[in-house]
Amino acid sequence: MVLHNRIAVFRAERGISRRKLSEAVGVNNQTIGYLERGDYKPSLELAMKIAQYFGVSIEMLFSFQRFEAIGVTLKRAGEDE
Amino acid sequence: MSTKHRTVLQRMDALVWWTNSSDRVRQDMSEQPNEQKHGPMRWLPLLPMALGAGLIYSAIAFPVPLMSYGAAGGILAAASSIAINGPLGKSSIDDDEREAALRKNAFLFCLAFLAVANVVAGPGLLVAAALNEWPVKHVLSVAFALFIGNMMWFISLPTLYASWKLPKLSDDET
């Protein structure tokens, strides 16, 4: 089963480098790249550490369903307002 | 000192530089972050594996004098050098969870492969030795070649497996 994630989106939004995130959660720099591309599924511990680092719930970062595009989310938010 | 006037021991000592082991020790003892690259090696481990298989085949096909196995030491050193510089070359203490999983899977695959190969080939060789009435020297030669061949595959196969399992990295990740 594919595990989608939005680590790259959160990282880009907050201007955090891969190295800084990897040091914060205690993994190799390359492991963050593998996670972002979906080449590696993290353990529950690592997933929770990353979610904790960004201060969001784990469901905001990881999902079995594909995350909708940022543009769609923003458009819907605009319509709601 | 010029390289021309080195003693045999000095020349042997200099060979250590070629294996990259000295850099490894220096990095391990340094307090600086480890900057040694352990990139994928997708083809190089095939060389010692082919040599190991060739050694076993040649020992079976025609008895090789035991003295000639001295060369196997050099090939084992080369295989170790490839493994040290490969993706599993760094100390396992520094592994994160992804690297630990990769190391575990690589060695499990290697051990399973070698177990099956030895279980199949072992009885076959016993039967061949009995049917062909191999002399003791020939049996010893084959047994030693099997030992060296297994060592070469045990050193090289995990590196090969891990190298092919690693996806290619982008420039900012290397």
Side-chain angles (χ1 to χ4, degrees):
Chain A
M1 186 173 275
V2 180
L3 184 64
H4 301 278
N5 73 78
R6 286 198 288 205
I7 298 171
V9 175
F10 274 82
R11 200 170 55 74
E13 185 224 330
R14 298 178 191 205
I16 297 164
S17 67
R18 278 192 180 128
R19 185 168 294 280
K20 194 174 175 191
L21 176 59
S22 67
E23 284 168 2
V25 298
V27 294
N28 190 310
N29 177 33
Q30 294 172 349
T31 299
I32 300 297
Y34 288 126
L35 281 171
E36 288 180 355
R37 288 194 304 271
D39 290 331
Y40 174 67
K41 291 179 188 172
S43 67
L44 181 59
E45 184 187 347
L46 179 57
M48 289 185 78
K49 274 184 183 174
I50 296 170
Q52 193 179 35
Y53 179 77
F54 287 121
V56 296
S57 65
I58 206 163
E59 296 85 3
M60 292 276 284
L61 270 176
F62 298 95
S63 172
F64 289 122
Q65 277 80 45
R66 188 179 288 277
F67 288 104
E68 64 182 9
I70 298 288
V72 176
T73 310
L74 291 173
K75 189 180 171 189
R76 201 177 55 241
E79 286 169 358
D80 289 347
E81 284 175 11
Chain B
M1 183 185 281
S2 80
T3 52
K4 266 186 176 179
H5 305 292
R6 280 181 177 165
T7 63
V8 174
L9 285 176
Q10 282 172 326
R11 283 173 194 274
M12 286 173 69
D13 197 37
L15 283 177
V16 174
W17 290 98
W18 182 78
T19 65
N20 218 10
S21 305
S22 52
D23 281 348
R24 169 81 181 269
V25 172
R26 185 166 50 78
Q27 283 280 359
D28 286 348
M29 294 180 75
S30 166
E31 290 181 0
Q32 301 294 320
N34 194 338
E35 290 173 358
Q36 190 182 350
K37 298 278 186 283
H38 293 279
M41 291 194 174
R42 297 185 169 190
W43 302 108
L44 212 49
L46 287 171
L47 185 65
M49 287 165 66
L51 287 170
L55 185 74
I56 294 169
Y57 173 77
S58 61
I60 292 168
F62 47 89
V64 183
L66 282 178
M67 288 293 285
S68 63
Y69 284 112
I75 302 167
L76 276 175
S80 303
S81 174
I82 292 167
I84 284 172
N85 293 294
L88 303 178
K90 72 173 198 172
S91 169
S92 60
I93 297 169
D94 299 328
D95 281 355
D96 64 19
E97 62 171 54
R98 177 189 61 82
E99 292 163 323
L102 181 67
R103 189 183 296 275
K104 185 189 77 179
N105 289 341
F107 277 98
L108 276 178
F109 174 81
C110 173
L111 288 172
F113 183 88
L114 288 181
V116 171
N118 279 282
V119 162
V120 172
L125 284 172
L126 280 174
V127 171
L131 291 178
N132 296 307
E133 295 177 355
W134 286 352
V136 174
K137 263 190 176 178
H138 192 179
V139 174
L140 278 177
S141 172
V142 171
F144 195 71
L146 279 173
F147 174 72
I148 299 292
N150 271 299
M151 288 279 286
M152 285 185 191
W153 278 64
F154 183 72
I155 292 170
S156 305
L157 189 54
T159 302
L160 189 72
Y161 177 94
S163 297
W164 281 97
K165 278 285 174 183
L166 280 177
K168 292 205 167 154
L169 297 170
S170 57
D171 289 341
D172 58 335
E173 289 176 80
T174 52

